[in-house]
Amino acid sequence: MGTRQYVIRKIVQAFVTLLAILIFNFFLFRVWSPGDPVSFLTRGQGFNLSLEERAAVIEEYGLDKSTWGQFTEYMKDTFTGKLGVSSFYQGESVMAIFFRFLTPTLLLVGISTMISMVVGIWMGIRSGWRRGSKFDRGSMFFSLILYSMPEFWLGMLLLMLFSSQLGWFPVGGRVSTNVSSMGTLEYFTDVAEHLFLPVLTLALGYLGEFYLLMRSSLLDVLGEDYITTARAKGVLERNVLNRHAVRNALLPTVTLIALSFGYVIGGAITVEVVFSYQGLGLLTYTAIVAKDYWLLQGLFLFFSLAVIAFNLVSDLVYAYLDPRVREA
Amino acid sequence: MSGVEASRPSIDQDEPPVLEIRDLVVTFAGRIGLLSGLLGKEATSARAVDGVNLELRRGEVLALAGESGCGKTTTARAVMGLLRPDRGEILFEGKPLGRHLQKYRRRVQMVFQDPTGSLNPRQTIYEIVAEGLRIHKIHRGPAGETEEQLVARALTRAGLRPPERFFMLYPHELSGGQRQRVVIAGALALDPDLIVADEPVSNLDASVRGEILSLLLKLRDELRISILIVTHDLGLAWTVADRVAIMYLGRIVETGPAEEVLLRPLHPYTRALLDVVPEAGGIDRPYLTGEPPDPTNVPSGCRFHPRCPRVADGTSATYGVEALCRDEDLDLVELRPGHVAACHLANVDAEAATRTGSATATAEPNGQTS
């Protein structure tokens, strides 16, 4: 099978997954969820509305139709970007709220993922190459501790130490309240100060995963005969590592990288809550607490989209990097 | 493997050997757990190779045979300079390895058991074959060939024709036999003097084994490459080798011309190995019993005595050497021209044979009893 078929197959698979999620979402939020749908669409005003107003809402969202009729309506709405309104945010459209909270989350989780990825992979390579060294034993120890520590707990510790006790960083939020009076530079510094602790928390939390995977896959590759062959042929140790070992050991890590980026937009619910950081994670938390079904439904859709998209990216990159996969 | 017949061109015995291994010892440090360490146990190191001597001449195929764990692969790796011997020397054209390692690596190439594992999955066939040339900064061949011509020639010699068709392929697109040919082409690109092949056909289908073996023999005949084949399979040694060295528990217990060793073995261990080789008229049942050899716990006397069928059936007692077998370590002794073995029983028997002047008697105590 050629590269073309592989790509087409993967894209089709992604669409099938998306379809399954849409169907599941429909049942989760429209069929199985308790409560009055009109009420969710009108800031909880359901029974205070006049009959005419109720009828208008019912008409607009096709709520009087059969399940199948509602489903086609729902699919049409979803593909045209009509995701409904949030009850908690006073009728603001779900789409607009999503994009408002997206940037802070991309900053927070994006930066943390990048840092832990680069540092984790670097440490993993060094550790695997010099297995049993002091560096290896030290990083193994710390990575396992960080890996097994709940992120929110680590966040609370850092918050207590650096914000409450030492007062070096703000205790929470995304920016200070007096944003309007700030110059550009001042604004950036303020944003960075608010980002520092949550980024540190997440970066430490994600580090272990990258480190452990990179280390073990490098160790696997170093046991292969082509590494011995390269050495026997006289390849310099530096090139044995870079050209032969790391190039192959990175393959499993590519999947992890892509999947991590898929989860980026899902935000980090616990850490965002601990630091009151207004990102998508905190938004999800708010929507759950407020039973804001339409907002939740929209968020679920976006999160799934991101995971599916990056999964597809990971499959395509993997195929580009590993010639064996294309044929499989 | 029938159909592959070594033509065995004459090997110049006066020429100095291409490769010489002198008294090679390789030990692996034992690992010890924390608890055992606290309890005062000491790590036992394993002598994987314990005093091996070998010579290999130009254009000669030497098979190093023995059970797994006998140290044959370790010997091969030491020859490749992949691990540092604890004692002894490896001489290439009379010069010790070590200082000239990089130059040496250009002239000695290795072929492994598993061709799939030996090829980097992310390199094209061209890159794989050209790698040796690039490492050793060979931009032109001896007659001014380009890198591409050298790669094409190596592939052709390894039997991959037309070579251009393989340049851009990846290892997974080839069959097992073709992959092993790529490995061999990678070795040939550098015009080696010596190829060390560690079980080169064990992972291949029976149908392609013969092809790969005849390829190796062809290279030996046409390019006068010396080949050290490491194998557990005496049938293979029988087919391709000029000389055979049998290894047991880190030592060589018998060496000599292939026909000599395989048709008239002196050592009971060689005898036992041959008994399971169909080519040698052997039977298809395990002949050896007892504990598999453990290099951390080498028996006293002859290393083979706890498993030796001649000790077990009392033959060595009849000849009055059982005590020697159990307690006296021994060296290789030349019992026939060019044919050496380390066996107390064979020693006395050879003396007996010399006294009576009978050549047939030599085979008897080692012959099958049943």
Side-chain angles (χ1 to χ4, degrees), chain A residues 266-322:
Chain A
I269 296 183
T270 55
V271 171
E272 286 186 13
V273 170
V274 167
F275 287 94
S276 316
Y277 187 88
Q278 290 97 343
L280 291 168
L282 190 59
L283 181 66
T284 311
Y285 176 74
T286 314
I288 293 170
V289 172
K291 292 205 184 90
D292 193 340
Y293 286 165
W294 286 81
L295 182 53
L296 265 184
Q297 179 189 306
L299 289 174
F300 272 37
L301 180 64
F302 284 118
F303 296 163
S304 325
L305 266 180
V307 172
I308 293 170
F310 277 99
N311 229 325
L312 181 62
V313 168
S314 120
D315 282 341
L316 298 184
V317 170
Y318 208 112
Y320 171 75
L321 292 177
D322 187 349

Side-chain angles (χ1 to χ4, degrees), chain B residues 173-320:
Chain B
E173 294 169 290
L174 306 181
S175 69
Q178 285 176 320
R179 283 179 209 163
Q180 196 62 298
R181 285 176 190 273
V182 171
V183 173
I184 292 170
L188 290 179
L190 286 166
D191 260 327
D193 296 280
L194 168 65
I195 290 181
V196 178
D198 188 351
E199 303 273 11
V201 295
S202 315
N203 254 27
L204 301 176
D205 284 347
S207 58
V208 287
R209 275 185 199 174
E211 290 174 29
I212 296 293
L213 290 177
S214 44
L215 171 64
L216 287 174
L217 290 180
K218 209 180 88 187
L219 298 173
R220 189 269 313 262
D221 295 343
E222 289 174 6
L223 305 171
R224 294 209 73 204
I225 297 174
S226 314
I227 302 176
L228 174 64
I229 289 191
V230 172
T231 180
H232 67 280
D233 177 3
L234 276 188
L236 185 151
W238 183 279
T239 323
V240 300
D242 302 309
R243 279 199 306 131
V244 174
I246 308 288
M247 233 177 140
Y248 186 79
L249 208 48
R251 286 260 177 97
I252 288 178
V253 294
E254 181 163 5
T255 340
E259 267 135 75
E260 262 289 311
V261 172
L262 301 173
L263 290 175
R264 299 197 294 159
L266 292 167
H267 202 283
Y269 178 61
T270 313
R271 177 82 254 162
L273 289 179
L274 280 168
D275 274 333
V276 292
V277 174
E279 284 94 331
I283 31 134
D284 196 12
R285 65 173 166 83
Y287 187 66
L288 277 177
T289 50
E291 295 277 306
D294 172 12
T296 61
N297 182 19
V298 174
S300 65
C302 167
R303 304 173 169 226
F304 185 56
H305 88 259
R307 293 170 78 198
C308 184
R310 294 284 87 83
V311 171
D313 69 9
T315 316
S316 69
T318 314
Y319 279 75

Side-chain angles (χ1 to χ4, degrees), chain A:
Chain A
M1 193 196 277
T3 313
R4 221 178 113 92
Q5 284 101 313
Y6 175 83
V7 171
I8 291 172
R9 195 168 46 127
K10 286 294 164 189
I11 291 175
V12 169
Q13 276 174 5
F15 269 99
V16 170
T17 315
L18 179 62
L19 193 68
I21 284 165
L22 282 172
I23 294 169
F24 179 74
N25 258 359
F26 173 76
F27 279 93
L28 186 64
F29 291 103
R30 305 287 181 92
V31 180
W32 299 329
S33 65
D36 172 20
V38 179
S39 159
F40 299 137
L41 284 166
T42 52
R43 300 172 239 161
Q45 306 256 324
F47 296 101
N48 300 337
L49 298 173
S50 68
L51 281 176
E52 290 75 28
E53 286 171 314
R54 267 190 81 86
V57 174
I58 288 171
E59 171 68 31
E60 191 186 348
Y61 287 94
L63 298 178
D64 52 348
K65 292 183 182 165
S66 66
T67 307
W68 176 248
Q70 288 199 39
F71 180 73
T72 49
E73 190 91 0
Y74 157 84
M75 291 299 275
K76 204 177 75 199
D77 285 353
T78 305
F79 279 104
T80 52
K82 190 177 159 196
L83 298 177
V85 293
S86 153
S87 55
F88 183 80
Y89 284 94
Q90 323 274 307
E92 193 180 347
S93 89
V94 168
M95 193 79 112
I97 299 170
F98 172 77
F99 282 108
R100 193 147 53 82
F101 280 79
L102 177 63
T103 325
T105 279
L106 285 184
L107 269 181
L108 169 64
V109 189
I111 293 174
S112 317
T113 307
M114 296 277 229
I115 292 174
S116 50
M117 184 178 97
V118 171
V119 176
I121 289 176
W122 176 82
M123 280 170 59
I125 292 172
R126 215 183 135 179
S127 236
W129 185 243
R130 296 267 171 261
R131 185 184 191 172
S133 64
K134 276 200 180 112
F135 179 88
D136 181 36
R137 280 176 289 161
S139 8
M140 196 70 189
F141 181 71
F142 282 106
S143 300
L144 284 174
I145 287 182
L146 290 171
Y147 190 50
S148 43
M149 192 186 291
E151 284 154 12
F152 65 87
W153 187 70
L154 178 64
M156 285 167 155
L157 288 185
L158 293 173
L159 197 61
M160 265 170 13
L161 180 64
F162 291 105
S163 301
S164 312
Q165 298 296 315
L166 297 169
W168 292 354
F169 295 100
V171 283
R174 192 171 71 78
V175 283
S176 303
T177 40
N178 55 336
V179 191
S180 45
S181 64
M182 287 179 188
T184 317
L185 186 68
E186 227 181 319
Y187 176 73
F188 279 117
T189 326
D190 189 62
V191 168
E193 274 179 355
H194 281 85
L195 267 173
F196 189 87
L197 285 183
V199 163
L200 183 65
T201 310
L202 282 180
L204 288 175
Y206 294 157
L207 186 70
E209 212 175 349
F210 285 104
Y211 167 78
L212 292 170
L213 183 68
M214 189 64 214
R215 180 179 180 274
S216 71
S217 81
L218 188 72
L219 287 177
D220 281 349
V221 169
L222 286 177
E224 294 279 352
D225 276 345
Y226 60 80
I227 298 293
T228 317
T229 306
R231 284 196 172 127
K233 277 185 189 292
V235 178
L236 298 174
E237 284 297 286
R238 192 181 62 238
N239 293 335
V240 170
L241 178 64
N242 294 331
R243 288 197 202 143
H244 291 276
V246 171
R247 262 173 66 99
N248 282 289
L250 270 176
L251 290 173
T253 319
V254 165
T255 313
L256 178 66
I257 292 171
L259 291 181
S260 308
F261 278 108
Y263 292 124
V264 162
I265 89 149
I269 296 183
T270 55
V271 171
E272 286 186 13
V273 170
V274 167
F275 287 94
S276 316
Y277 187 88
Q278 290 97 343
L280 291 168
L282 190 59
L283 181 66
T284 311
Y285 176 74
T286 314
I288 293 170
V289 172
K291 292 205 184 90
D292 193 340
Y293 286 165
W294 286 81
L295 182 53
L296 265 184
Q297 179 189 306
L299 289 174
F300 272 37
L301 180 64
F302 284 118
F303 296 163
S304 325
L305 266 180
V307 172
I308 293 170
F310 277 99
N311 229 325
L312 181 62
V313 168
S314 120
D315 282 341
L316 298 184
V317 170
Y318 208 112
Y320 171 75
L321 292 177
D322 187 349
R324 285 167 299 183
V325 173
R326 273 172 254 165
E327 327 292 312

